[in-house]
Amino acid sequence: MYARTATAALAAAALMGTGAVLMSTADTRTADRAGAGHVTAVTGVSTVSALTTNAKRTAPVVFAHRGASAYAPENTLAAVDKADALGFDWVENDVQFTKDGVLVVVHDTDLKRTTDAEEVFPDRTSWAVKDFTAVEIARLDAGSWFGPQFAGTRVPTLKQYLDRVERNRQKLLLEIKSPEIYPGIEKETLRVLRQKGWLDRAHVKNRLVIQSFGADSVKKVHQLRPDITTGFLGTPAVAELPSYAAFTDQINPAYTSISADYVDAVHALKGAHGKKLRVNTWTVNDAETATKVAGLGVDGIITNTPDVVREATG
């Protein structure tokens, strides 16, 4: 789920075969869907029935993936600020452990792609995040790979990241990255969130979701803090969805893996907090795909180009 270069803004695509009017995150209107038709799943695997006449649907929430990562280096404070400048409340990030147990915000489990670790530490035989201390990672340039204007941008710690999101009054979709290689990361993530004031009622209710590809990790978060909204990253089989609903509130699949029937199957179940399971799909970066997945009925779209998706679905 990443884009290395900025994508030019695309014109909004018209909704296919229906007259749905979708809303942006800042505009909470609903609209009647005009006419029934058929929508082909984004995967191209199957054709499924669309909404019936007069069914109502709200537009998907737009999540800025790793910040507005088409326009600033992913998972940096600059990407958070760019999302804020574009008017987006929700940002997504990834957290991992350093060698000395500090949570840092970075996607890849090694530092080669998005930092100059190989140049700064040429004698190392590993560039894995878990093999570097927080002080060592703080020395790295996490912006020059993206563009010279971002030279000197740093990998933020989770604490620094939370401070910036709080300053901007944004909301956080936090991914626990590769939990299988970071024992105890769930507990430490919650400790830092608590320390920075993110586990009070207001944040937990309205501004925080924790997700992971690791089902056991999501379960652990739910066990430790049952009040927190959680999401599972992936596309469980329909028959397995009830077991996931016991510990999560969201099923968050790749857009290439879903159809309207699948979204409906998720929505038919109630999640861990007794509310309808939600679907946030990733990573959608163009207007045409955004329009298609919105037509499938997803609740949210995770994107490197949030402005493009907003225009296409607004």
Side-chain angles (χ1 to χ4, degrees), residues 212-293:
S212 180
F213 283 99
D216 288 342
S217 186
V218 179
K219 286 180 184 178
K220 189 171 295 184
V221 171
H222 180 65
Q223 290 165 356
L224 292 170
R225 282 295 300 246
D227 55 331
I228 291 176
T229 298
T230 58
F232 174 72
L233 282 160
T235 315
V238 170
E240 297 174 354
L241 287 172
S243 64
Y244 284 83
F247 60 85
T248 195
D249 305 281
Q250 301 176 358
I251 301 295
N252 297 340
Y255 77 89
T256 55
S257 69
I258 60 173
S259 66
D261 279 344
Y262 187 82
V263 174
D264 287 345
V266 175
H267 284 163
L269 298 171
K270 291 184 178 180
H273 289 98
K275 298 179 181 179
K276 182 179 73 173
L277 275 176
R278 294 173 64 86
V279 179
N280 299 322
T281 192
W282 48 268
T283 305
V284 177
N285 295 324
D286 65 274
E288 181 180 3
T289 305
T291 299
K292 288 179 180 178
V293 299

Side-chain angles (χ1 to χ4, degrees), residues 67-92:
S69 57
Y71 311 116
E74 63 182 62
N75 274 326
T76 65
L77 303 185
V80 173
D81 288 344
K82 183 61 178 179
D84 182 52
L86 290 170
F88 291 93
D89 291 334
W90 280 100
V91 292
E92 185 266 359

Side-chain angles (χ1 to χ4, degrees), residues 82-193:
K82 183 61 178 179
D84 182 52
L86 290 170
F88 291 93
D89 291 334
W90 280 100
V91 292
E92 185 266 359
N93 75 342
D94 308 273
V95 294
Q96 299 186 56
F97 263 150
T98 63
K99 184 177 181 179
D100 49 343
V102 176
L103 288 167
V104 290
V105 179
V106 61
H107 176 268
D108 297 5
T109 55
D110 71 58
L111 297 159
K112 292 188 291 185
R113 180 177 63 87
T114 58
T115 78
D116 59 350
E118 291 177 285
E119 289 73 39
V120 176
F121 298 99
D123 297 329
R124 294 291 183 93
T125 57
S126 168
W127 287 274
V129 174
K130 66 182 181 64
D131 292 331
F132 283 74
T133 66
V135 170
E136 289 171 336
I137 289 177
R139 292 175 54 189
L140 304 178
D141 182 337
S144 290
W145 70 274
F146 190 89
Q149 70 273 36
F150 294 105
T153 299
R154 302 303 176 190
V155 174
T157 65
L158 178 58
K159 290 180 180 180
Q160 292 167 336
Y161 196 94
L162 290 171
D163 285 343
R164 186 57 58 91
V165 175
E166 183 66 39
R167 189 195 75 174
N168 293 345
R169 300 301 299 167
Q170 291 166 298
K171 305 175 183 183
L172 181 60
L173 177 59
L174 183 154
E175 179 183 341
I176 295 176
K177 192 72 182 176
S178 301
E180 66 278 3
I181 65 174
Y182 298 118
I185 192 171
E186 297 86 6
K187 187 174 182 179
E188 179 63 12
T189 298
L190 292 173
R191 188 191 72 80
V192 171
L193 286 166

